[in-house]
């Protein structure tokens, strides 16, 4: 039977009786007991000992087998003395003293070793992560910790089915000119999240996929929705080639060119056969424009059909297969012949950060928190026009269409992304539409209105002819035929200057004269209102 005794008296320096080492506080001496490998079961103590003799109280640490008692401090909570920075009465647990738990010890060691790598906010995220991992482990003890390679290289794994947003790095060669020096070519890199990758993720989101697409809205005497605009209602690429109608508990796909039989109703007086031409909504009702059959031919007169009320859905599936449409793709779904098609209009926004690169003042940091605003690309070396060609490549691929899984249909669908408009301030719009700017003789990007300061100015509204997309296309063709002639890149007689925005001309859905809406802030508040106030208020 062996025992270890640690003796100290009041007003004396605590000393270990095993190695005769002295300590400043009792807490330091208790921590030292771990070096002697004294187990928890071998420790006990006596507190608040009152004696009448001259001898001071003695604290003894002995084997449990000898005393047969549990340590008094084993069931107590730790108490930290801020004055001497020592634990007053802490339960001693082998391997983790002076920490209260093994988890606390692990986190303390981790942050102590990597103190320079963690801020207070990041350390809080790590602690929160540990809590989530603990809860997940308790909920499903059979789960194993994934390998580090699976976490770090998830985007590079070709067999992974987890939806992800890979960031692509591109290189752009920029020709830089300097006075009295020959031009030099410098290569810069920038990263981009492709719009097509964003759409693939949104199509798998049950809360977002239904909001990606909308039919043209032709409600009379109303213009409050984007789909009621002229481009959405009339542009060929914005017209949906098919709709899915639910009837009698089943869904039927109707395609442009299908033949339906309409029964007498609100707009139809007699039963007749019609060939569907286009789909739209009006007063929250699904409508279709159709050609009526007469004497075995379909006449050119357009008839409006209420799909739900008037049309009897086709019962023969061969009517779909006999009609050609460029967006029809064969599906693997045994219940359908072709993939559903979604037309997704895209709105782009571009601006600079005005030199503010920190999160506090960067407006893009706040904009990205909006639910339907998705980040594409940025660079502190390149301008938006220099990054535009790589972005146009993906937009061009979306115009041709891509196959994506859609959670709304529960199958693969054919998604066509079309550029609706580009939002920006006036200086950015000038670069996008390749204009010479507000100080040019022809400053307007909508028409050929001439500045009043020059000769032959046209000041009356409506007299100036409208600009067309073909004018800029012809200018680009002349520059391509003579690439060494830099004078062709600017034409004051037309008000155009090649700035990089000409890359958008390859998109069929883009029209520079219509798809850059007037920006209200710089045009009205910082334009007309600003000049008016400067003339009214004396300084």
């Amino acid at each position: 039977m062996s025992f270890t005794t640690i003796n100290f008296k009041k007003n004396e320096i605590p000393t270990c009786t095993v190695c005769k080492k002295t300590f400043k506080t009792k807490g330091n001496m208790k921590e030292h007991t771990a070096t002697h490998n004294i187990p928890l079961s071998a420790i006990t103590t006596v507190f608040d000992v009152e004696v009448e003799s001259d001898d001071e109280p003695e604290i003894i640490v002995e084997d449990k087998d000898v005393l047969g008692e549990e340590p008094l401090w084993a069931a107590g909570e730790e108490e930290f003395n801020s004055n001497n920075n020592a634990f007053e009465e802490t339960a001693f647990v082998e391997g983790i003293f002076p920490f209260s738990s093994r988890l606390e010890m692990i986190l303390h060691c981790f942050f102590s070793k990597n103190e320079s790598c963690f801020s207070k906010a990041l350390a809080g995220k790590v602690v929160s992560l540990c809590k989530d991992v603990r809860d997940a482990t308790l909920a499903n003890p059979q789960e194993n910790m994934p390998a580090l390679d699976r976490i770090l290289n998830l985007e590079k794994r070709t067999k992974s089915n987890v939806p992800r947003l890979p960031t692509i790095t591109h290189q752009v060669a920029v020709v830089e000119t300097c006075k009295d020096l020959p031009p030099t070519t410098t290569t810069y890199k920038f990263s981009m999240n492709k719009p097509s990758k964003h759409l693939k993720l949104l199509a798998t989101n049950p809360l977002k996929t239904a909001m990606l697409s909308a039919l043209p809205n032709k409600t009379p005497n109303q213009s409050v929705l984007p789909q009621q605009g002229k481009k959405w209602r009339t542009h060929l690429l914005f017209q949906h080639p098919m709709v899915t109608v639910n009837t009698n508990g089943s869904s039927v796909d109707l395609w442009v060119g299908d033949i339906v039989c309409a029964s007498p109703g609100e707009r139809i007086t007699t039963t007749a056969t019609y060939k569907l031409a286009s789909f739209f909504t009006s007063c929250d009702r699904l409508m279709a424009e159709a050609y009526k059959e007469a004497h075995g031919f379909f006449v050119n007169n357009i008839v409006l059909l209420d799909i739900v009320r008037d049309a009897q859905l086709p019962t023969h599936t061969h009517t779909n297969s006999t009609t050609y449409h460029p967006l029809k793709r064969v599906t693997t779904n045994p219940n359908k012949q072709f993939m559903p098609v979604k037309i997704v209009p895209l709105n782009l926004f571009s601006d600079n950060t005005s030199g503010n690169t920190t999160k506090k003042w960067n407006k893009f940091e706040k904009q990205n928190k909006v639910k339907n605003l998705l980040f594409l690309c940025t660079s502190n070396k390149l301008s938006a026009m220099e990054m535009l060609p790589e972005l146009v490549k993906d937009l061009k691929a979306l115009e041709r269409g891509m196959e994506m899984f859609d959670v709304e249909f529960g199958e693969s669908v054919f998604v066509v992304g079309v550029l609706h408009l580009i939002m920006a301030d006036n200086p950015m719009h000038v670069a996008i539409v390749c204009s010479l700017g507000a100080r040019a003789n022809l400053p307007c990007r909508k028409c050929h209105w001439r500045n009043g300061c020059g000769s032959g100015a046209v000041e009356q509204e409506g007299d100036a002819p409208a600009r067309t997309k073909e004018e800029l296309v012809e200018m680009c063709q002349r520059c391509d035929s003579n690439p060494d002639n830099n004078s062709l890149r600017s034409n004051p007689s037309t008000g155009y200057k090649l700035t990089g925005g000409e890359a958008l001309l390859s998109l069929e859905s883009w029209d520079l004269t219509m798809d850059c809406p007037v920006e209200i802030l710089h045009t009205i508040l910082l334009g007309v209102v600003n000049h008016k106030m400067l003339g009214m208020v004396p300084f």
Side-chain angles (χ1 to χ4, degrees):
M1 180 177 63
S2 61
F3 63 91
T4 303
T5 305
I6 302 176
N7 296 321
F8 59 88
K9 293 184 178 181
K10 192 174 182 179
N11 299 328
E12 291 185 2
I13 298 176
T15 305
C16 177
T17 58
V18 177
C19 61
K20 306 303 180 182
K21 187 175 181 180
T22 60
F23 303 90
K24 293 183 179 180
T25 63
K26 294 183 290 183
N28 293 341
M29 186 189 64
K30 291 179 182 180
E31 183 177 355
H32 170 70
T33 58
T35 61
H36 299 301
N37 297 324
I38 303 176
L40 177 64
S41 59
I43 298 179
T44 186
T45 187
V46 179
F47 300 102
D48 300 330
V49 180
E50 297 182 1
V51 291
E52 297 179 358
S53 61
D54 296 335
D55 297 334
E56 297 297 335
E58 181 180 65
I59 294 182
I60 302 176
V61 180
E62 296 183 343
D63 287 347
K64 178 183 176 182
D65 295 338
V66 179
L67 301 178
E69 298 178 355
E70 291 289 336
L72 297 180
W73 62 59
E77 297 181 356
E78 65 179 20
E79 297 179 2
F80 186 79
N81 190 343
S82 59
N83 297 327
N84 55 14
N85 195 27
F87 289 93
E88 285 291 327
E89 307 295 343
T90 304
F92 173 78
V93 180
E94 183 179 4
I96 66 171
F97 184 84
F99 304 102
S100 61
S101 64
R102 188 171 299 276
L103 181 59
E104 181 185 352
M105 182 188 70
I106 293 174
L107 290 175
H108 178 79
C109 295
F110 176 75
F111 288 124
S112 297
K113 293 179 181 179
N114 305 277
E115 184 176 1
S116 60
C117 303
F118 288 92
S119 62
K120 185 176 180 180
L122 184 58
K125 294 181 180 180
V126 174
V127 175
S128 178
L129 172 64
C130 294
K131 293 179 181 179
D132 295 339
V133 173
R134 180 195 60 184
D135 296 341
T137 304
L138 294 176
N140 192 355
Q142 304 300 327
E143 289 185 357
N144 297 324
M145 183 65 67
L148 182 61
D149 176 73
R150 180 177 179 83
I151 298 175
L152 298 180
N153 301 320
L154 178 63
E155 297 181 358
K156 299 180 181 179
R157 290 173 172 263
T158 57
K159 296 183 180 180
S160 176
N161 294 325
V162 179
R164 57 192 183 275
L165 182 64
T167 300
I168 310 300
T169 301
H170 298 280
Q171 294 184 353
V172 177
V174 180
V175 178
E176 299 178 346
T177 58
C178 185
K179 186 177 181 180
D180 300 332
L181 292 176
T184 58
T185 302
T186 307
T187 302
Y188 296 104
K189 294 182 179 180
F190 76 97
S191 299
M192 180 176 65
N193 299 328
K194 292 185 176 182
S196 59
K197 303 300 181 182
H198 278 299
L199 286 183
K200 285 185 178 181
L201 288 180
L202 292 175
T204 59
N205 189 340
L207 301 178
K208 294 294 184 181
T209 180
M211 296 187 290
L212 293 179
S213 181
L215 288 168
N217 192 318
K218 298 183 180 181
T219 302
N221 303 322
Q222 188 180 94
S223 181
V224 295
L225 300 173
Q227 53 267 34
Q228 293 174 338
K230 180 180 179 180
K231 182 175 182 179
W232 207 310
R233 291 184 292 107
T234 59
H235 199 284
L236 181 62
L237 293 180
F238 283 74
Q239 308 309 308
H240 291 231
M242 57 83 62
V243 293
T244 300
V245 181
N246 296 318
T247 176
N248 299 327
S250 60
S251 59
V252 178
D253 292 342
L254 293 179
W255 288 80
V256 170
D258 284 356
I259 300 174
V260 297
C261 181
S263 57
E266 181 178 347
R267 291 180 174 83
I268 307 301
T269 57
T270 59
T271 302
T273 303
Y274 297 87
K275 185 176 183 180
L276 301 178
S278 63
F279 303 101
F280 63 96
T281 59
S282 179
C283 301
D284 297 329
R285 296 164 64 180
L286 177 59
M287 307 292 293
E289 293 180 345
Y291 302 106
K292 183 178 179 181
E293 182 186 16
H295 306 290
F297 299 94
F298 291 98
V299 297
N300 292 330
N301 296 333
I302 295 295
V303 179
L304 300 182
L305 294 179
D306 190 323
I307 296 296
V308 179
R309 299 181 182 181
D310 301 335
Q312 298 178 2
L313 301 183
T315 57
H316 302 287
T317 57
H318 72 273
T319 56
N320 292 343
S321 60
T322 56
T323 305
Y324 168 79
H325 197 281
L327 296 182
K328 283 187 175 181
R329 298 293 186 275
V330 179
T331 181
T332 56
N333 188 345
N335 299 325
K336 296 182 179 180
Q337 288 182 301
F338 305 103
M339 290 184 185
V341 177
K342 275 193 170 183
I343 307 297
V344 182
L346 304 175
N347 298 333
L348 300 184
F349 171 79
S350 179
D351 201 356
N352 55 30
T353 60
S354 301
N356 300 318
T357 57
T358 60
K359 290 186 177 182
K360 183 177 181 180
W361 303 109
N362 191 348
K363 54 191 169 185
F364 293 104
E365 182 68 18
K366 183 181 294 185
Q367 294 270 358
N368 289 336
K369 296 180 181 180
V370 181
K371 293 182 179 180
N372 295 325
L373 192 62
L374 305 173
F375 176 77
L376 295 181
C377 59
T378 186
S379 174
N380 60 347
K381 298 292 184 181
L382 300 171
S383 65
M385 296 301 100
E386 291 169 338
M387 295 185 290
L388 188 59
E390 296 296 336
L391 178 61
V392 170
K393 292 180 181 179
D394 191 67
L395 295 177
K396 187 66 176 177
L398 280 174
E399 272 193 352
R400 295 191 296 265
M402 292 185 179
E403 181 180 343
M404 303 178 186
F405 178 81
D406 189 275
V407 69
E408 182 182 14
F409 289 91
E411 60 178 316
S412 296
V413 300
F414 196 68
V415 177
V416 179
V418 290
L419 182 58
H420 183 213
L421 55 87
I422 297 181
M423 296 173 288
D425 57 7
N426 287 338
M428 183 61 67
H429 270 160
V430 167
I432 293 174
V433 302
C434 301
S435 175
L436 284 174
R439 297 181 180 273
N441 292 332
L442 298 172
C444 183
R445 60 178 184 265
K446 300 290 184 180
C447 64
H448 288 277
W449 177 83
R450 184 173 293 275
N451 197 331
C453 298
S455 59
V458 181
E459 298 181 357
Q460 295 183 358
E461 181 181 358
D463 290 346
R467 291 184 179 272
T468 60
K469 181 179 180 180
E470 288 70 21
E471 295 174 353
L472 185 57
V473 172
E474 294 177 0
M475 181 177 176
C476 294
Q477 292 175 352
R478 289 194 299 268
C479 291
D480 293 340
S481 60
N482 298 281
D484 298 332
N485 191 352
N486 293 329
S487 61
L488 297 177
R489 300 184 61 85
S490 178
N491 190 352
S493 62
T494 59
Y496 284 123
K497 176 184 177 181
L498 299 187
T499 59
E502 63 272 10
L504 292 166
L505 295 176
S506 61
L507 300 176
E508 296 182 17
S509 58
W510 167 254
D511 189 342
L512 74 163
T513 63
M514 298 177 56
D515 302 338
C516 287
V518 176
E519 193 252 339
I520 298 177
L521 175 62
H522 288 79
T523 303
I524 299 179
L525 296 180
L526 299 180
V528 178
V529 176
N530 182 34
H531 291 288
K532 191 68 174 178
M533 293 300 297
L534 291 177
M536 294 174 57
V537 180
F539 290 95

